């Protein structure tokens, strides 16, 4: 059989694509390097030319997700028409759009991420996302502090507080999706709405912004998300 | 050799003690059931009479830590002289005392918990602690909302926000301990002080309390903690 020649970049991306899919489908603990190379059609020797281990593959999956997330956020910093509050609202708006667009996959993603055999996967991804998001959020707050549109005396510390506030929301969204799937869409939507409301309040208050200046959620979001 | 007869409770606690010590010393991933039974002097058959697996032992370690933490917190809820803000301050004060008292072990504990081979250990403990702390914190906020001493329209959601705010602090404390050990105590103390200050601000603001009503930190705490 003739070996198909592919450039190293293409191969690397192919391996990351495949690993990401298998990790989410079958769980990180349950996926082996052999599963990945069988799927991609590569020899073990060739695989180790690209990645030293399954852990290295996990790092690459997490790093690529972080890079993609940063690519989506970066234009916000460059838009001169926005102040810091506008940038935060634009971030929340784009994350809402993404959540509604991806709701069907998101259910599977959450189901996978919150499995016990995926604790390591979940936290590597979370760490990688935090590593790129923290400097980004710090820069938004630093500029906001400078222009006086919000109050964050230590921008980096406050940025971490905001990222931590966000952590609970993923679990609540997962719980709401499970409840909705079990048939109770109304009360799942009410629960999620109330949580998003509290999250928004906590963000506003932490930055000493007037009530109503941050729109983490919008009317109908929870229902649209759960019905998608 | 004569078998020493011990009551099941004593045995259970002995196994949990031993597992906890080995998990923290050698890492959760690097500890086997065989290591534990060798240390305790029990046969494999006898071990499985107490715990079905290493994971079950981990659950027991996490659950006992959570129970101990709850036992320490519970008297605060029963003290009729305190309002919600007083209860929160008492919680922070006792956690400060504990941190200074335990600083030497805490360094080792943090070193162990933040090792890659302990991600699972760390998150099981965090989950167990959250499971007992969330209802406790919710009850403090519910009463505070009722008596009007703070503002938490959805006490459970707000309680989770507070617990999430706390998450970053452990990592910062770990980083400060490492910096201090490398010799730079002054700048480690300054960094930790600034973070604790921001944490306190975020808690106050999230609950709409006047500035200065919550003492997460106190003058000299960071230095006392790092010098211990």
């Amino acid at each position: 059989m003739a070996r198909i020649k592919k450039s190293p970049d293409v191969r690397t991306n192919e391996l990351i694509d495949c690993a990401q899919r298998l990790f989410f489908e079958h769980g990180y603990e349950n996926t082996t390097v052999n599963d990945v190379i069988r799927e991609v059609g590569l020899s073990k020797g060739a695989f180790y030319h690209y990645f030293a281990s399954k852990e290295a593959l996990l790092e690459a999956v997490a790093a690529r997700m972080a890079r993609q997330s940063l690519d989506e956020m970066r234009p916000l910093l460059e838009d001169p028409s926005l102040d810091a509050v506008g940038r935060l609202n634009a971030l929340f708006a784009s994350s809402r759009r993404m959540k509604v667009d991806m709701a069907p996959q998101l259910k599977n993603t959450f189901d996978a991420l919150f499995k016990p055999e995926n604790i390591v996967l979940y936290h590597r991804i979370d760490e990688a996302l935090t590593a790129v998001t923290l400097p980004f959020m710090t820069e938004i707050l630093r500029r906001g502090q400078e222009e006086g549109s919000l109050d964050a005396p230590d921008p980096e510390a406050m940025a971490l507080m905001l990222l931590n506030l966000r952590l609970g929301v993923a679990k609540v969204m997962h719980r709401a999706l499970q409840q909705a799937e079990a048939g109770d869409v109304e009360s799942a939507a009410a629960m999620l709405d109330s949580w998003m409301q509290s999250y928004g309040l906590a963000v506003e208050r932490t930055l000493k912004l007037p009530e109503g200046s941050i729109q983490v959620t919008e009317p109908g979001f929870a229902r649209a998300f759960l019905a998608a």
Side-chain angles (χ1 to χ4, degrees), chain A:
Chain A
M1 201 175 84
R3 272 282 284 293
I4 303 161
K5 283 254 178 211
K6 292 187 181 175
S7 82
D9 273 10
V10 171
R11 264 295 182 227
T12 304
N13 263 313
E14 208 176 44
L15 284 165
I16 299 175
D17 285 341
C18 176
Q20 183 167 338
R21 190 167 46 74
L22 292 179
F23 291 167
F24 279 88
E25 267 174 27
H26 306 301
Y28 176 69
E29 299 291 345
N30 305 326
T31 302
T32 64
V33 166
N34 280 330
D35 295 334
V36 175
I37 62 177
R38 195 178 317 119
E39 208 58 33
V40 174
L42 212 60
S43 73
K44 209 153 191 169
F47 172 85
Y48 286 113
H49 178 71
Y50 293 97
F51 293 101
S53 61
K54 188 172 99 169
E55 285 69 36
L57 205 44
L58 171 57
E59 285 303 334
V61 167
R64 197 178 64 176
M65 289 177 80
R67 238 179 2 254
Q68 287 165 344
S69 147
L70 190 62
D71 287 344
E72 277 161 33
M73 294 186 294
R74 203 177 283 122
L76 284 182
L77 263 189
E78 283 150 15
D79 185 339
S81 74
L82 294 171
D83 69 355
V85 179
R87 290 195 171 101
L88 289 173
N89 275 322
L91 261 184
F92 286 123
S94 90
S95 128
R96 273 199 305 277
R97 273 192 307 277
M98 196 208 69
K99 279 177 190 124
V100 173
D101 289 349
M102 292 182 48
Q105 298 102 291
L106 227 49
K107 170 76 170 57
N108 294 335
T109 305
F110 281 147
D111 277 344
L113 281 178
F114 292 124
K115 269 186 208 160
E117 61 265 38
N118 272 341
I119 287 192
V120 174
L121 176 67
Y122 175 83
H123 290 284
R124 285 295 165 87
I125 292 174
D126 184 61
E127 264 169 41
L129 288 177
T130 300
V132 300
T133 314
L134 185 59
F136 183 83
M137 192 61 93
T138 302
E139 181 58 20
I140 293 184
L141 298 192
R142 199 191 56 73
R143 293 199 204 169
Q145 177 74 5
E146 217 172 78
E147 76 204 7
S149 62
L150 48 76
D151 189 275
D154 180 337
E156 196 190 10
M158 279 306 195
L160 192 74
M161 303 292 157
L162 293 191
L163 295 187
N164 284 339
L165 282 178
R166 179 210 52 178
L167 280 181
V169 177
K171 283 202 182 177
V172 172
M173 287 175 57
H174 183 224
R175 212 206 290 163
L177 280 167
Q178 288 177 315
Q179 240 183 65
E181 206 176 44
D184 200 354
V185 180
E186 283 311 302
S187 78
M191 193 257 303
L192 185 55
D193 265 335
S194 173
W195 277 85
M196 299 291 283
Q197 211 95 38
S198 292
Y199 174 44
L201 262 185
V203 171
E204 268 168 18
R205 290 177 176 183
T206 298
L207 299 174
K208 251 187 158 169
L209 293 170
E211 210 146 301
S213 41
I214 294 284
Q215 280 85 47
V216 160
T217 186
E218 62 190 357
F221 165 71
R223 200 171 317 253
F225 172 65
L226 295 172

